[in-house]
Amino acid sequence: MPRQSTLFALTAALAASVSLPAHADMMFNRIASFAVAENLPADIEKTTPTSSEIITASEDGMTLVYSDSPLGAVGFIDITDPRAPKAGGIVKIDGEPTSVTVAGDKALAGVNTSESYTSPSGNLTVIDIASKAIESSCDLGGQPDSVALSADKSFLAVAIENERDEDLNDGVIPQMPSGNLKIVPLAAGVPDCGAIKTVELTGLAAIAPEDAEVEFVDVNSQGEIVVTLQENNHIAIVNGKTGEIVSNFSAGSVTLDGIDTKKDGKLSFTGKMENVLREPDSAKWLDDNRFVVANEGDYEGGARGFTIFSRNGEVLYESGPSFEYEVANLGHYPEHRNKKGVEPEGLATGAFGEDKLIFVGSERGSLVGVYKDTGAAPELLQILPSGIGPEGLISIPARNLLVTANETDLVEDNLARSHVMIYERAEGPAVYPMITAKLTDEGTPLGWGALSALAVGDQAGKLFAASDSVYSAQPSIFTIDATQTPALITGKLVVTRNGDPAQKIDIEGLVADGEGGLWIANEGDAAKLVPHALLHVNDKGEIKQEIGFPVELLAGQTRFGLEGITTIGEGDDLTLVMAVQREWGDDPKGQTKLLAYKPKAKEWSAVRYPLEAAEAGWMGLSEITAYDGKLYVIERDNQIGANAKVKRLYSVSLDAFKPAKLGGDLPLVEKTLVRDLLADLKSATNGYVVDKVEGFTIDKNGEAFVVTDNDGVDDSSGETLFIRLGNISAVN
């Protein structure tokens, strides 16, 4: 039995991951993103759901091969130039490809052909990479999941999962038939179907021993296969030549302290979970005596981190919550997935120069941790942004490349497609993260995300941001030190009403009041009883004044309300100016309002603002700030990736800003294009263009900043782009 994780191991984990290095001699950066929908042939609609799940590479590293379960295909990507990946086509398969690897010039895919959970079936399909032709297949007698090639290419290990029905008896196991391990002899990449060995793995685990839930396989240089039995919380080592079970042991459990455990609309790392089963998914050998597992969890457990075992079952290292902390510090913590946290799932390893590296993919945080294998506690080198739901990872050390396959395809919601993302290791600093946060005094994450506003402080480089209603139980204002790279969130102020976190607010705009407090633009939603309003908070975050919209405005209200606030004038002439996101019922089509409110006189007025025509979806405003005689406005569509057409910064001259009283004719202002932000969004991290450019401000020195809203990592990659545009005088 493996030893429980010790205080020493956990302490080492936390010490190794306190902070990310700002610079290292060799770092990975994303150089390209490939939407796998680009691989769809002409006779298949581009809106057809497709996915990249498990990914591998040809032996020369020039072609990527991935499994596409929803499409029923194996896909190919030409990365001769990794900065410009090209569609390589697909091979349709009769069944559901679950995994793929390459042996010589053949792609070997495990294919699920099951008619039901109780009658599982599948095969190993052989595809010639050059001709994209299916050459043969072997019946596997069950539903395959993971496949792994031996170092000498003499055999293929196949995990036969025979997955359980999660809707049957709440997914409780045992559910027959049991899974097993297949060892398939190979010659020049061609399987010998008549000589397949079956290794039964029943009777080993303490949990449902009669039903082996086989999940993942990997092979070391000696031909030994590590096999994870995820729902059984068990691991076996099998001799790939003989089929003998060399050793087997429980994956054990971990006690996690200082974690977020509740789906409650706030980020609070104060919870504890005791004796959490690891339930590992993927496993990768580090050498012939050690392997690493990703403790995703699937049934009862999920320990949120990764563990290094010896081949005899000794726990050599346990990450505890340290990986999750790093994910949270980058704003990628999935609060809506608190049962299993960030869910480490995919793993890859590779020797890059003198460094043996471990890559850990967070399925729910949509990040990849890059660690150096030191032989003891791994050293965190950096965190990489990925697409939504990284499932498969492959390192290509000969080309200094790492590739992730991100399975989630949200085409039916008009959101991000499944992407394959390519990273190159080279000299220079890491581009991502662009903003991060310091730990609390207790050593736990501060907790942030969904930045929906940006405002300037009283010093150059001091900014404020806020989270929106994604974290409705903890509306927060953050202080940012933008003089650092990456920008650093140094403080978090919870907005309160009568001493408790304020409810029924959605912060979409901020501006400092010059006295230590802030004005807040609150976006209302009548259906949720959230009022359209202006809030005034002091330096402690306490709401001291709430100003509702007048009747003249509310008559035409929709839920697309305030999306920014700024100030012009001073003293008795102080005027708050707000941007309304979209047309309301009393607006002409293609126009929205810029509102003005004078707190001293309690007077409302407005102008109309002309919106660009949207090619798809809608067009609206998301921020406003005043600087040097102009109002600067962010105007954007709600499109993502290749469909995004408008993410722009416009200006309106204050000389021409003459708001009129509500209830009558409102003047239409003229706008001037200052900068098209699409190029900035594309080049920032070489990912796809994100939807929500939500914050813009200009500091005391005239430096301009843009920030995006990651939607709290819900149907989002979680990336927050903090873009420095330079001095506003040169922004064009």
Side-chain angles (χ1 to χ4, degrees):
M1 297 287 288
R3 294 198 296 261
Q4 295 287 339
S5 58
T6 64
L7 179 61
F8 170 80
L10 182 54
T11 302
L14 295 173
S17 63
V18 168
S19 62
L20 291 166
H23 177 81
D25 288 338
M26 299 289 288
M27 302 295 278
F28 284 94
N29 280 302
R30 184 166 52 197
I31 59 173
S33 299
F34 179 85
V36 298
E38 294 179 24
N39 236 346
L40 291 171
D43 60 344
I44 297 180
E45 290 290 334
K46 290 298 182 183
T47 55
T48 301
T50 185
S51 181
S52 55
E53 296 166 294
I54 303 304
I55 195 161
T56 189
S58 59
E59 292 188 347
D60 63 3
M62 298 295 176
T63 302
L64 299 175
V65 187
Y66 62 90
S67 61
D68 185 340
S69 173
L71 189 62
V74 169
F76 300 84
I77 305 171
D78 178 357
I79 58 166
T80 303
D81 179 356
R83 295 175 180 271
K86 298 178 181 177
I90 63 169
V91 174
K92 288 285 287 180
I93 292 177
D94 186 14
E96 173 194 2
T98 58
S99 188
V100 66
T101 192
V102 166
D105 58 2
K106 313 298 182 187
L108 307 176
V111 181
N112 177 18
T113 60
S114 303
E115 63 180 34
S116 68
Y117 290 105
T118 57
S119 182
S121 63
N123 65 63
L124 181 67
T125 296
V126 182
I127 302 169
D128 181 76
I129 296 175
S131 67
K132 308 294 189 300
I134 295 176
E135 294 187 335
S136 62
S137 66
C138 292
D139 181 22
L140 292 173
Q143 174 251 312
D145 195 341
S146 166
V147 299
L149 183 68
S150 66
D152 62 4
K153 305 176 190 176
S154 65
F155 69 84
L156 187 75
V158 182
I160 301 298
E161 182 179 15
N162 293 340
E163 64 183 341
R164 62 194 171 94
D165 182 351
E166 296 184 12
D167 295 326
L168 177 64
N169 194 26
D170 293 327
V172 174
I173 57 174
Q175 289 188 24
M176 309 308 285
S178 171
N180 54 51
L181 170 68
K182 302 291 186 184
I183 301 174
V184 184
L186 299 176
V190 178
D192 182 349
C193 301
I196 296 176
K197 293 188 181 75
T198 299
V199 181
E200 298 295 348
L201 298 167
T202 54
L204 303 180
I207 298 171
E210 68 272 40
D211 179 16
E213 294 283 336
V214 184
E215 185 71 22
F216 204 92
V217 290
D218 193 43
V219 187
N220 66 15
S221 69
Q222 300 301 307
E224 290 184 326
I225 306 166
V226 57
V227 187
T228 61
L229 289 71
Q230 187 171 30
E231 290 90 336
N232 306 101
N233 196 42
H234 208 77
I235 298 169
I237 308 296
V238 177
N239 185 311
K241 301 296 184 183
T242 66
E244 175 191 1
I245 297 174
V246 177
S247 64
N248 73 95
F249 40 87
S250 168
S253 62
V254 183
T255 291
L256 301 169
D257 202 358
I259 60 172
D260 195 346
T261 59
K262 297 179 180 178
K263 181 181 176 181
D264 55 4
K266 63 182 179 180
L267 295 170
S268 178
F269 296 88
T270 58
K272 185 175 183 178
M273 297 176 69
E274 296 185 350
N275 302 317
V276 181
L277 301 182
R278 288 190 173 94
E279 290 190 351
D281 186 318
S282 57
K284 289 289 182 180
W285 288 97
L286 298 176
D287 52 40
D288 290 336
N289 295 304
R290 299 175 305 138
F291 61 89
V292 58
V293 297
N295 301 318
E296 178 204 24
D298 193 9
Y299 175 49
E300 295 289 346
R304 304 186 177 210
F306 62 97
T307 308
I308 297 176
F309 285 96
S310 74
R311 62 191 297 277
N312 297 317
E314 180 183 9
V315 174
L316 303 177
Y317 171 81
E318 168 57 49
S319 74
S322 64
F323 177 55
E324 186 161 275
Y325 281 11
E326 296 296 345
V327 172
N329 285 343
L330 273 59
H332 281 250
Y333 186 80
E335 197 277 331
H336 58 290
R337 296 284 303 186
N338 266 334
K339 180 181 179 182
K340 295 185 289 183
V342 300
E343 291 190 37
E345 180 175 13
L347 290 169
T349 60
F352 289 76
E354 297 180 354
D355 297 331
K356 182 182 291 183
L357 302 182
I358 305 169
F359 305 93
V360 183
S362 165
E363 182 183 14
R364 301 300 174 181
S366 294
L367 289 172
V368 177
V370 183
Y371 291 82
K372 180 179 178 180
D373 178 16
T374 67
E379 175 190 353
L380 177 64
L381 300 180
Q382 63 180 126
I383 301 279
L384 297 172
S386 197
I388 306 177
E391 175 89 0
L393 291 74
I394 180 71
S395 69
I396 311 175
R399 302 190 67 195
N400 276 327
L401 299 178
L402 170 74
V403 179
T404 66
N406 304 276
E407 67 173 339
T408 305
D409 191 315
L410 300 172
V411 63
E412 294 177 349
D413 298 318
N414 197 34
L415 295 173
R417 303 302 303 263
S418 171
H419 278 75
V420 168
M421 296 189 167
I422 304 170
Y423 311 80
E424 183 178 51
R425 192 180 194 233
E427 291 185 0
V431 172
Y432 199 85
M434 304 179 81
I435 183 169
T436 184
K438 71 174 188 178
L439 295 172
T440 65
D441 292 340
E442 292 74 31
T444 56
L446 192 71
W448 67 277
L451 300 185
S452 60
L454 204 57
V456 64
D458 56 3
Q459 303 170 24
K462 180 181 178 181
L463 309 178
F464 298 106
S467 56
D468 64 18
S469 59
V470 168
Y471 305 111
S472 59
Q474 192 185 60
S476 299
I477 298 170
F478 305 97
T479 303
I480 300 172
D481 181 358
T483 66
Q484 299 193 43
T485 301
L488 182 67
I489 296 175
T490 59
K492 178 178 181 178
L493 187 68
V494 177
V495 177
T496 61
R497 183 186 285 120
N498 300 322
D500 296 317
Q503 302 299 295
K504 302 296 181 182
I505 73 171
D506 181 6
I507 304 174
E508 294 290 346
L510 287 175
V511 66
D513 67 1
E515 299 177 352
L518 292 138
W519 286 97
I520 292 173
N522 189 60
E523 184 175 31
D525 186 345
K528 297 179 180 179
L529 302 180
V530 178
H532 298 283
L534 305 178
L535 310 177
H536 196 190
V537 301
N538 63 14
D539 60 354
K540 297 178 182 178
E542 300 166 331
I543 297 176
K544 293 302 182 181
Q545 186 179 11
E546 301 189 46
I547 303 167
F549 276 17
V551 173
E552 298 95 320
L553 273 177
L554 292 176
Q557 70 175 301
T558 73
R559 69 180 181 88
F560 301 102
L562 297 183
E563 284 283 335
I565 185 170
T566 190
T567 59
I568 57 176
E570 56 185 2
D572 291 351
D573 288 328
L574 177 72
T575 302
L576 303 175
V577 182
M578 292 76 65
V580 178
Q581 186 181 63
R582 292 171 57 184
E583 306 100 322
W584 279 21
D586 58 344
D587 291 321
K589 183 175 177 59
Q591 296 180 16
T592 186
K593 297 186 188 76
L594 302 182
L595 301 175
Y597 177 75
K598 292 187 174 183
K600 184 70 173 180
K602 299 181 180 179
E603 293 177 352
W604 288 88
S605 56
V607 299
R608 298 196 190 279
Y609 176 96
L611 294 167
E612 298 297 295
E615 292 186 19
W618 53 257
M619 192 72 64
L621 305 183
S622 59
E623 181 64 288
I624 187 169
T625 192
Y627 184 83
D628 195 23
K630 296 178 181 178
L631 293 171
Y632 289 89
V633 177
I634 295 289
E635 183 175 345
R636 67 174 179 87
D637 57 24
N638 68 332
Q639 301 299 293
I640 197 167
N643 293 329
K645 303 300 180 185
V646 177
K647 315 289 181 186
R648 297 176 186 170
L649 177 65
Y650 285 98
S651 68
V652 173
S653 171
L654 281 176
D655 289 338
F657 181 70
K658 306 293 183 183
K661 289 185 178 181
L662 301 176
D665 292 336
L666 301 179
L668 180 68
V669 298
E670 292 185 2
K671 64 183 183 182
T672 301
L673 178 64
V674 178
R675 189 181 183 104
D676 187 338
L677 298 172
L678 275 177
D680 299 291
L681 296 169
K682 290 176 181 177
S683 63
T685 63
N686 290 314
Y688 54 78
V689 175
V690 297
D691 169 17
K692 294 188 173 181
V693 185
E694 290 277 308
F696 173 79
T697 197
I698 304 168
D699 77 0
K700 298 296 184 181
N701 287 347
E703 296 299 307
F705 302 88
V706 170
V707 73
T708 62
D709 176 356
N710 73 357
D711 274 336
V713 207
D714 188 7
D715 286 345
S716 163
S717 68
E719 291 182 42
T720 297
L721 304 183
F722 185 85
I723 301 173
R724 304 164 194 266
L725 297 180
N727 197 276
I728 191 63
S729 62
V731 172
N732 52 57

